[in-house]
Amino acid sequence: MNYIDQLTAMRMNAQGGHTSPHKAVMLLSILDLIASGDAADNRFRLSPELMEHFRRYFDVVKTDADSCTPINPYFYMRSEPFWHHQATAGNEAVCIALSSPGGKKKLGEIIDYAYLDDALFGLLQDRSKRSEIREAVISRYFPNQYEPLMQIVKEEDEVGIYTSAMRNLVDGKVEEMPNVPYQTRDLAFSRIVKRAYHYQCAACGLRVLFDGISLVDAAHIIPFSISRDDDPRNGISLCKNHHWAMDQELIFPCSDNKWRVHKDLDERIDAQRSLIALDGKTILLPEEQKYAPKAVALKWREQRR
Ligand SMILES: [Zn+2]
């Protein structure tokens, strides 16, 4: 059986005449992660990125009978010949014997990651092959939502390519970004910046993440309208409040990697006190140093104090 046949012949959960869309949605989601290079090592974890893609497709195909439970297909796809689970150390036997996913935390303790057949993963590196498989999956499982899903798939493919280009820019492999539509740019920039900061606000440290929904924004340090610069190092992850405060020039990320606040903020006013408390605090930088804000961007903010 070739891979397209396998991918379009999955055993889907069907109860009371309703077929659950979850496995096919999971498949489209992992294809996105391959396109963007987020799964370059053929390891798929129940990551915020996977959840985000899952939710995007799920919202198009769900019915009232369906719950957004990515953990189910992530686990039950083990009955398909191409999807495998790598157990965490010491849990090999428990992993094999597992008959249901249980909770996400528990599952994460038993399954380190899921992976595809190496040959399938290799095949999916090819952009045209990916397109062919995405179309086959959508035609087979979601003929009634063909148009809207193909629209998302097309956009995700472009975002994926642009995301890879952004990584190459950070790694010094390319010097210029291709010209792409606003939505493509914006989505790629937002994802790569938020991920670099582990979805945490670089000012207050707030991190709220639930099944692919996050509270932080990816803010341009020098606004895109001025800089035309989508380099992730011109980005910073901020909660809604601190994003607003930076845009209003009430707080400033400075080149000594510290926050400064507007001199006219008044600590006698309750609402302003929490902003003043940020003065002199260290910017919570990304774990990977290469994604840290570039000096020219921080200087630009600093000079507006
Ligand atoms: Zn914040």
Side-chain angles (χ1 to χ4, degrees):
M1 207 183 209
N2 74 29
Y3 282 118
I4 291 202
D5 289 344
Q6 284 185 19
L7 297 171
T8 53
M10 292 193 292
R11 277 173 287 168
M12 310 286 272
N13 178 38
Q15 281 178 336
H18 172 65
T19 302
S20 299
H22 298 73
K23 278 188 178 179
V25 168
M26 179 56 72
L27 215 48
L28 293 173
S29 309
I30 65 168
L31 285 163
D32 286 354
L33 295 186
I34 292 172
S36 63
D38 278 312
D41 53 1
N42 192 13
R43 294 179 183 195
F44 299 90
R45 294 188 168 85
L46 278 167
S47 61
E49 296 78 38
L50 180 59
M51 302 288 196
E52 184 183 339
H53 288 278
F54 188 91
R55 183 175 284 278
R56 189 167 190 206
Y57 291 111
F58 187 78
D59 283 347
V60 176
V61 301
K62 68 179 175 188
T63 66
D64 290 345
D66 300 312
S67 310
C68 187
T69 50
I71 190 173
N72 288 343
Y74 183 81
F75 177 75
Y76 288 112
M77 264 166 53
R78 59 164 49 191
S79 65
E80 307 301 334
F82 55 85
W83 185 252
H84 316 283
H85 291 137
Q86 174 64 48
T88 51
N91 279 314
E92 292 78 5
V94 184
C95 180
I96 291 168
L98 212 57
S99 61
S100 66
K104 191 179 158 200
K105 189 160 175 274
K106 182 95 196 318
L107 194 69
E109 287 166 8
I110 298 169
I111 295 176
D112 188 1
Y113 56 85
Y115 62 99
L116 296 166
D117 276 0
D118 278 341
L120 173 59
F121 185 71
L123 194 71
L124 293 172
Q125 302 308 307
D126 180 66
R127 190 179 183 181
S128 65
K129 207 65 191 165
R130 269 200 314 270
S131 297
E132 189 187 335
I133 287 177
R134 281 162 150 159
E135 186 166 2
V137 168
I138 291 172
S139 302
R140 162 69 182 83
Y141 300 106
F142 307 116
N144 296 333
Q145 288 102 354
Y146 183 85
E147 288 300 331
L149 289 177
M150 284 305 290
Q151 190 63 38
I152 297 179
V153 154
K154 186 170 170 285
E155 188 182 304
E156 286 292 353
D157 198 52
E158 284 162 4
V159 171
I161 303 293
Y162 196 70
T163 305
S164 294
M166 274 183 173
R167 285 208 187 89
N168 287 336
L169 183 75
V170 170
D171 290 337
K173 292 178 188 164
V174 296
E175 287 186 0
E176 273 188 39
M177 296 297 292
N179 214 349
V180 295
Y182 165 76
Q183 288 103 316
T184 307
R185 243 183 1 80
D186 194 52
L187 199 49
F189 177 81
S190 168
R191 283 181 181 160
I192 205 163
V193 170
K194 290 193 287 190
R195 185 179 182 181
Y197 285 78
H198 290 300
Y199 305 88
Q200 189 177 36
C201 174
C204 66
L206 191 69
R207 182 177 188 263
V208 179
L209 191 61
F210 181 75
D211 280 1
I213 299 171
S214 149
L215 197 92
V216 292
D217 295 335
H220 284 88
I221 300 175
I222 310 177
F224 185 81
S225 55
I226 296 169
S227 62
R228 318 296 297 170
D229 184 9
D230 260 337
D231 185 326
R233 294 163 295 188
N234 183 34
I236 189 166
S237 164
L238 293 173
C239 71
K240 311 282 177 203
N241 288 347
H242 286 119
H243 187 180
W244 176 84
M246 184 177 82
D247 282 352
Q248 299 306 312
E249 304 194 325
L250 298 174
I251 62 173
F252 308 86
C254 295
S255 57
D256 58 356
N257 287 333
K258 295 221 167 27
W259 287 98
R260 297 284 184 283
V261 305
H262 195 286
K263 61 180 175 15
D264 291 342
L265 287 176
D266 187 342
E267 65 178 18
R268 292 167 300 179
I269 301 171
D270 273 354
Q272 297 184 7
R273 209 174 294 141
S274 70
L275 288 178
I276 293 171
L278 197 61
D279 202 29
K281 291 256 169 71
T282 303
I283 301 171
L284 299 170
L285 295 172
E287 194 175 274
E288 279 190 89
Q289 174 66 27
K290 65 181 181 181
Y291 287 106
K294 48 183 168 184
V296 63
L298 294 176
K299 269 267 180 289
W300 186 88
R301 280 284 162 189
E302 190 171 300
Q303 282 164 1
R304 302 182 66 82
R305 280 173 69 197

